[in-house]
Amino acid sequence: MIEEASKSGKVTVEKRQLFMEMRAQNFDVIRLSTYRTACKLRFVQKRCNLHLVDVWNMIEAFRDNGLSTLDHNAEINVSRLETILSSIFYQLNKRLPTTHQINVEQSIGLLLNFMVATYDSEGHGKLTVFAMKSMLATMCGGKIVDKLRYIFSQISDSSGTMVFPKFDQFLREVLKLPTAVFEGPSFGYTEHSVRTCFPQQKKILLNTFLDIMMADPPPQCLVWLPLMHRLANVENVFHPVECSYCRSESMMGFRYRCQQCHGYQLCQNCFWRGHANGPHSNQHQMKEHSSWKSPAKKLSHAISKSLGCVPIGEPPHPVYPEASERPQDLAHPTQLKPVSNNMNDTVFVSSGAPTPTTSTTLESPSRLDEEHRLIARYAARLAAEASNSTCPPTDLSFNFDANKQQRQLIAELENKNREILQEIQRLRLEHEQASQPTPEKAQQNPTLLAELRLLRHRKDELEKRMSALQESRRELMVQLEGLMRLLKDEEQKGAQTGGSPHSSPSHSASCTMPMPIRSTSAGSTPTHTPQDCLAGVSDDVLDAFSQGVPRNLRNDLLVAADSITNTMSSLVKELHSVDDGLEDEEVNMRNGREKVSAQRHYGNRHSTPSF
């Protein structure tokens, strides 16, 4: 009991250890879910040392442990899974040099706990054979094309056609990997996952399957798979370029160059975290570079490409025969052999009988192989044409003539292609010139530009003058309002005192006329109509100038000036008359006071004191 408890506690610690180490890497700061998922799965792959196990070694381990003969839905317990993983890692240590040996027990414990947590979340203690194969074939090392070929052999029928229910089962199992690293909302399994990969339900052969899986972009639910392989390929790539954000003098891994900002480049850490400075924005299109080429190498590559020495495009994967292939039976090792050459690519050789190791095999798909295929295809076509012709087989002139005609046809097509590209470039330049803004077009015509400037200047002058006239009119109206208010007050007070306009001179003299305030925006463009200039003016003034017919601005100003002049003259006269009355009253009062004081003085002198 004590040993079982200690063993279960050790398993629990090892189960949490991998996830704790992954959280310590702080992958969650990566803003793009695709890169975040690929980085997490790449960390699990390296931490469990699966990147050291090639896909061919994994297939060999499946065969040695008898998994090739089991049904996909068969279940195996955790103890047998541990035995399979032990054979994989112990065989790996035999292949590795003594200086690069791995800790087998630790790798087995981490990988076993990860697989159980991923595929046995309910704790049954069992996994299906297909789930184990899908996980190990996806997370092991090797080329993605080899993995996809092996996966296609597991989901296809005897005629070499993909079975959609089996592909759906593969997606169900492989998409549990992103869910295990907490990326299920972005790349979890849905019922429409198969439709997103293959929209048209048609016959899917090997080449079609590889085309779709290795396309750019790949299916959305599996977009993290090729990215994980690209991460593995660029981990040690050095870029002698300075990062525009963190100012690091060199980069490792991916390098991202902005397509809009000239010379703006980011390292993978800054790009993944969404850092940007200066005129650059995260909305700009970035190009991902997985290698570094010096300017001299770029120039030589461009010259070679222009001279036709470099092919324009290569297929992303080998093109296999269109004939249906039988699924690879791994029970017979001689039916499936990986063949490698110097081009770092691997292909299959499958046959119905055991093939000796000295037999001729297909070369890897590369540029030279593509040329050889084309040559073989042309030779077969020429041979067919020669056999159908009436000429004898010994007459080779027809073959040479046909080959010459084909070369001429290819040259003519290349010339037409260059002409079409030149025409496209010319039309693109004309379109860009036609879509230039209007000021640039006006610069091409100096006379039109001068007329436009003169018209704008004249328009500004008229607007300023109109604004000044409107402000002057408003000032005159305000002055007129003040004068009419003074006259009305005088008339009211004269009526109260018996019709005399001089009854309250002090009040009338103390009345002040409101001074208008000139607007400081007289030179700006007027934003109000002439009727808005009378806003705030009393009804009397409006009635004085509104006679049912709208007046002209000049007539209104003349009438207002005449009214103001007459009103001012009458006001001056009244003020003079008020001043004269004040002076007369002051003189009379002064004389009265003098008489009273003289009488008092005279009385005091002649009066007799009483005792």
Side-chain angles (χ1 to χ4, degrees):
M1 293 293 293
I2 297 175
E3 293 179 358
E4 292 179 359
S6 62
K7 185 176 181 180
S8 62
K10 183 179 179 181
V11 170
T12 305
V13 172
E14 291 177 350
K15 181 177 181 181
R16 296 178 179 177
Q17 179 182 356
L18 184 63
F19 292 98
M20 291 175 63
E21 292 179 359
M22 185 178 66
R23 288 183 182 275
Q25 299 296 320
N26 200 17
F27 291 122
D28 292 329
V29 299
I30 302 176
R31 64 186 183 97
L32 300 176
S33 60
T34 305
Y35 288 92
R36 189 169 59 246
T37 306
C39 288
K40 289 181 179 180
L41 292 177
R42 175 62 178 169
F43 173 78
V44 173
Q45 183 189 43
K46 294 180 65 177
R47 189 66 184 84
C48 298
N49 291 315
L50 277 175
H51 65 294
L52 301 175
V53 183
D54 193 80
V55 62
W56 305 113
N57 303 126
M58 194 66 70
I59 296 173
E60 184 179 2
F62 294 160
R63 185 181 64 246
D64 293 340
N65 288 275
L67 298 179
S68 301
T69 58
L70 295 178
D71 186 72
H72 284 174
N73 297 323
E75 294 182 345
I76 58 176
N77 53 22
V78 178
S79 60
R80 186 175 181 185
L81 176 61
E82 186 176 2
T83 304
I84 297 171
L85 297 181
S86 300
S87 65
I88 292 173
F89 286 110
Y90 278 111
Q91 290 295 329
L92 173 63
N93 250 356
K94 291 180 181 180
R95 294 189 299 268
L96 293 176
T98 55
T99 57
H100 293 77
Q101 296 290 311
I102 64 172
N103 189 347
V104 176
E105 297 296 332
Q106 184 181 13
S107 300
I108 294 172
L110 291 175
L111 183 56
L112 179 64
N113 292 318
F114 179 76
M115 293 183 67
V116 171
T118 303
Y119 294 99
D120 189 24
S121 58
E122 298 179 359
H124 297 302
K126 293 182 180 181
L127 280 77
T128 62
V129 173
F130 187 74
M132 189 196 64
K133 285 184 177 180
S134 300
M135 186 272 174
L136 293 177
T138 304
M139 295 295 293
C140 68
K143 294 180 176 59
I144 186 173
V145 63
D146 298 334
K147 294 182 181 181
L148 294 176
R149 285 211 68 190
Y150 172 73
I151 291 170
F152 183 82
S153 67
Q154 300 299 308
I155 62 175
S156 59
D157 56 10
S158 58
S159 61
T161 305
M162 189 186 74
V163 181
F164 281 92
K166 290 185 179 181
F167 179 72
D168 182 76
Q169 185 181 2
F170 164 73
L171 288 181
R172 190 186 301 271
E173 301 296 340
V174 79
L175 291 181
K176 290 180 181 179
L177 294 173
T179 306
V181 293
F182 314 106
E183 295 296 332
S186 301
F187 299 104
Y189 172 81
T190 59
E191 296 179 357
H192 305 286
S193 298
V194 179
R195 298 180 182 178
T196 58
C197 297
F198 301 100
Q200 300 178 357
Q201 300 292 331
K202 60 181 181 179
K203 187 177 181 181
I204 304 298
L205 300 178
L206 176 59
N207 290 329
T208 307
F209 180 79
L210 295 178
D211 287 336
I212 294 175
M213 290 299 164
M214 300 183 66
D216 188 15
Q220 182 61 30
C221 60
L222 295 173
V223 68
W224 50 269
L225 181 58
L227 180 58
M228 187 175 68
H229 286 79
R230 295 207 308 272
L231 283 174
N233 294 331
V234 302
E235 282 181 348
N236 298 321
V237 175
F238 177 78
H239 304 271
V241 182
E242 182 183 7
C243 179
S244 300
Y245 184 84
C246 65
R247 300 302 177 185
S248 177
E249 296 181 357
S250 60
M251 304 180 190
M252 293 294 293
F254 286 117
R255 173 171 57 91
Y256 297 90
R257 182 166 57 87
C258 182
Q259 300 297 299
Q260 300 182 20
C261 304
H262 177 70
Y264 193 90
Q265 302 189 72
L266 292 176
C267 61
Q268 65 179 14
N269 292 330
C270 294
F271 176 76
W272 289 351
R273 286 157 177 78
H275 294 162
N277 58 347
H280 179 69
S281 173
N282 290 329
Q283 304 299 326
H284 291 180
Q285 184 178 3
M286 303 290 288
K287 185 176 180 180
E288 183 179 271
H289 295 272
S290 58
S291 62
W292 164 257
K293 291 182 180 179
S294 62
K297 187 177 291 186
K298 290 181 181 179
L299 180 60
S300 62
H301 182 78
I303 294 174
S304 301
K305 188 175 181 179
S306 62
L307 296 177
C309 300
V310 178
I312 297 177
E314 295 182 359
H317 63 85
V319 180
Y320 298 98
E322 292 294 338
S324 301
E325 296 183 358
R326 290 180 299 175
Q328 299 152 359
D329 187 5
L330 300 180
H332 301 283
T334 54
Q335 289 188 352
L336 180 65
K337 298 191 303 177
V339 181
S340 302
N341 61 1
N342 295 330
M343 301 306 293
N344 297 326
D345 281 318
T346 308
V347 296
F348 288 100
V349 178
S350 52
S351 61
T355 305
T357 56
T358 58
S359 62
T360 304
T361 58
L362 292 175
E363 295 182 356
S364 64
S366 63
R367 188 174 37 197
L368 296 177
D369 294 335
E370 187 67 24
E371 294 177 358
H372 289 309
R373 290 194 191 94
L374 291 175
I375 293 173
R377 189 177 300 174
Y378 283 130
R381 184 181 300 175
L382 292 175
E385 292 177 357
S387 61
N388 295 331
S389 62
T390 57
C391 298
T394 56
D395 190 5
L396 301 178
S397 61
F398 177 77
N399 293 336
F400 289 114
D401 293 339
N403 192 10
K404 185 177 180 180
Q405 291 178 0
Q406 289 178 356
R407 290 182 179 180
Q408 291 178 355
L409 180 61
I410 292 172
E412 291 177 359
L413 292 176
E414 290 179 351
N415 293 331
K416 289 182 180 180
N417 188 21
R418 283 193 292 267
E419 292 177 358
I420 291 172
L421 291 176
Q422 292 176 359
E423 184 68 17
I424 291 173
Q425 186 68 19
R426 185 183 64 80
L427 294 175
R428 186 178 298 170
L429 293 175
E430 290 180 356
H431 178 70
E432 292 178 355
Q433 293 177 358
S435 61
Q436 289 179 353
T438 306
E440 297 181 359
K441 293 182 179 179
Q443 290 179 1
Q444 300 176 1
N445 192 350
T447 306
L448 179 60
L449 183 60
E451 292 179 357
L452 289 175
R453 291 177 178 174
L454 184 60
L455 289 175
R456 289 179 180 175
H457 183 66
R458 181 62 177 168
K459 179 184 177 183
D460 294 338
E461 290 181 352
L462 293 175
E463 289 177 350
K464 292 179 181 180
R465 187 174 179 184
M466 186 67 181
S467 178
L469 291 175
Q470 291 176 356
E471 293 297 331
S472 300
R473 182 186 183 192
R474 180 177 177 81
E475 292 173 4
L476 292 174
M477 290 298 178
V478 172
Q479 292 178 4
L480 181 60
E481 180 184 4
L483 294 175
M484 293 184 69
R485 190 181 298 112
L486 287 174
L487 292 176
K488 187 179 293 184
D489 293 341
E490 289 294 332
E491 291 176 358
Q492 292 177 358
K493 292 177 181 178
Q496 293 176 0
T497 57
S500 174
H502 309 292
S503 59
S504 59
S506 61
H507 179 71
S508 61
S510 63
C511 294
T512 58
M513 182 169 31
M515 297 301 294
I517 300 175
R518 180 176 294 273
S519 175
T520 58
S521 61
S524 61
T525 303
T527 58
H528 53 272
T529 59
Q531 288 77 7
D532 296 336
C533 297
L534 299 177
V537 182
S538 63
D539 295 336
D540 296 335
V541 181
L542 294 175
D543 294 339
F545 289 95
S546 61
Q547 299 179 359
V549 180
R551 293 177 176 271
N552 193 4
L553 179 60
R554 184 179 298 174
N555 296 333
D556 291 345
L557 292 175
L558 293 175
V559 173
D562 293 339
S563 302
I564 291 171
T565 304
N566 296 331
T567 307
M568 288 295 293
S569 60
S570 60
L571 180 61
V572 170
K573 290 178 182 180
E574 291 181 2
L575 291 176
H576 281 298
S577 62
V578 170
D579 292 338
D580 293 340
L582 288 174
E583 290 178 359
D584 293 341
E585 289 181 0
E586 288 179 358
V587 171
N588 292 333
M589 291 176 68
R590 189 181 303 113
N591 293 333
R593 285 196 297 271
E594 289 178 357
K595 288 180 183 181
V596 172
S597 62
Q599 288 177 2
R600 288 179 181 176
H601 180 70
Y602 180 78
N604 292 331
R605 290 182 60 185
H606 295 282
S607 63
T608 304
S610 62
F611 296 96

